[in-house]
């Protein structure tokens, strides 16, 4: 998902809530999902990556830059400035903007990302999202938007995951810290959770979302097991 579709995705949330705080479940419904499932969390992660929402947990709200991008007149200084800040929110896009003085071709971007260790598929998705986003900032007709059905996978895989890979590849080997591993025992067996020693606030919020989803699935399974036992 490039910035344009991400903005349109949160438009219903702004129309209903304005700048009010909302839970992830409420935001998911405004984004078109009936529950806080994996696809909903992927879409929330996508709009969060652009800085369109702020806050954490169940206290989310539409950001100031998102409000300006949605409401300021086309071509106005306020909208252009807000779009520029939003476009540079994803860390991968920041990195690419520093590497290229002007907007590169899609093939040039793909090759650059592949050299950094991205798969060909992830490189193509990230390159097209980058170009579509900065074409929007520059007021150019967007010809690089991926198909609608690829939106969640596009951002969550090609931008978020690839950005983490990029940072890891560019980090000196002696600075990479061993992950933290938490182990605790239950009557049914051992539970092990492994996570990086250092997490950004954005990564922490993504982790919190994924763990919440996992716990709901585990609870449903536990209820089924209890019913079967009885």
């Amino acid at each position: 998902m490039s910035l344009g579709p991400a903005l349109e995705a949160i438009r219903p949330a702004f129309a209903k809530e304005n700048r009010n705080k909302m839970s992830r479940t409420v935001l998911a419904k405004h984004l078109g999902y009936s529950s806080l499932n994996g696809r909903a969390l992927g879409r929330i992660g996508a709009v969060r990556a652009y800085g369109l929402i702020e806050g954490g947990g169940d206290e989310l709200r539409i950001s100031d830059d998102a409000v300006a991008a949605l409401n300021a007149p086309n071509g106005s200084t306020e909208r252009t400035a807000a779009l520029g800040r939003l476009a540079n929110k994803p860390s991968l896009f920041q990195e690419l903007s520093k590497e290229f003085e002007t907007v590169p071709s899609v093939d040039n971007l793909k090759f650059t990302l592949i050299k950094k260790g991205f798969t060909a598929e992830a490189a193509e998705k990230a390159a097209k999202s980058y170009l579509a986003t900065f074409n929007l900032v520059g007021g150019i007709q967007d010809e690089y938007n991926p198909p609608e059905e690829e939106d969640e996978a596009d951002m969550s895989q090609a931008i978020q995951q690839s950005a983490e890979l990029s940072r890891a590849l560019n980090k000196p080997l002696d600075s990479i810290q061993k992950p933290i591993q938490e182990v605790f025992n239950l009557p049914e067996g051992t539970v092990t959770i492994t996570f990086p020693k250092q997490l950004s606030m954005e990564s922490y919020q993504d982790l919190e979302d994924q763990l919440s989803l996992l716990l709901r699935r585990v609870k449903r399974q536990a209820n089924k097991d209890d019913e079967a036992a009885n």
Side-chain angles (χ1 to χ4, degrees):
M1 178 186 286
S2 61
L3 178 56
L7 278 167
E8 291 307 312
I10 65 159
R11 190 180 292 278
F14 176 71
K16 294 288 186 180
E17 306 293 346
N18 202 290
R19 296 298 313 284
N20 294 325
K21 292 180 180 179
M22 59 188 140
S23 68
R24 291 170 297 175
T25 300
V26 170
L27 177 58
K29 289 182 179 179
H30 290 321
L31 292 173
Y33 299 93
S34 58
S35 64
L36 193 62
N37 54 35
R39 290 179 65 83
L41 288 173
R43 181 61 66 93
I44 290 173
V47 298
R48 190 202 298 277
Y50 283 116
L52 298 174
I53 57 173
E54 58 190 19
D58 285 332
E59 293 191 345
L60 304 174
R61 69 172 74 201
I62 306 298
S63 69
D64 289 339
D65 280 338
V67 173
L70 287 170
N71 295 282
N74 288 339
S76 66
T77 301
E78 292 85 351
R79 185 171 191 268
T80 300
L83 288 174
R85 289 189 293 269
L86 294 169
N88 279 290
K89 278 288 185 179
S91 56
L92 176 61
F93 288 7
Q94 294 176 25
E95 188 178 326
L96 292 173
S97 294
K98 292 177 181 177
E99 189 156 343
F100 295 100
E101 294 183 3
T102 60
V103 178
S105 68
V106 64
D107 289 334
N108 196 2
L109 269 176
K110 285 168 57 179
F111 181 59
T112 298
L113 292 168
I114 289 172
K115 286 193 297 182
K116 291 178 179 292
F118 296 0
T119 66
E121 181 181 7
E124 181 170 6
K125 289 180 178 180
K128 289 183 176 180
S129 288
Y130 177 89
L131 291 172
T133 293
F134 283 91
N135 282 347
L136 175 66
V137 175
I140 302 172
Q141 178 66 34
D142 184 352
E143 61 179 292
Y144 292 109
N145 271 334
E148 180 67 23
E149 63 269 17
E150 293 183 1
D151 280 350
E152 289 88 352
D154 181 27
M155 177 59 74
S156 61
Q157 294 177 10
I159 295 180
Q160 293 174 343
Q161 294 177 2
S162 296
E164 294 299 325
L165 173 60
S166 176
R167 286 194 290 272
L169 290 171
N170 290 326
K171 187 179 294 184
L173 290 177
D174 58 2
S175 70
I176 298 177
Q177 298 176 322
K178 292 183 179 180
I180 295 174
Q181 189 173 80
E182 296 288 344
V183 180
F184 51 94
N185 296 316
L186 298 176
E188 295 83 356
T190 301
V191 176
T192 303
I193 300 177
T194 303
F195 54 94
K197 188 172 184 179
Q198 291 184 330
L199 286 175
S200 66
M201 197 59 214
E202 180 180 323
S203 294
Y204 169 79
Q205 290 166 349
D206 289 339
L207 176 62
E208 182 182 39
D209 289 343
Q210 294 297 331
L211 287 177
S212 296
L213 183 63
L214 173 62
L215 288 174
R216 283 200 298 275
R217 290 202 301 265
V218 172
K219 184 177 181 179
R220 286 197 298 269
Q221 185 60 49
N223 287 334
K224 290 180 181 178
D225 292 343
D226 284 348
E227 291 173 0
N230 295 327

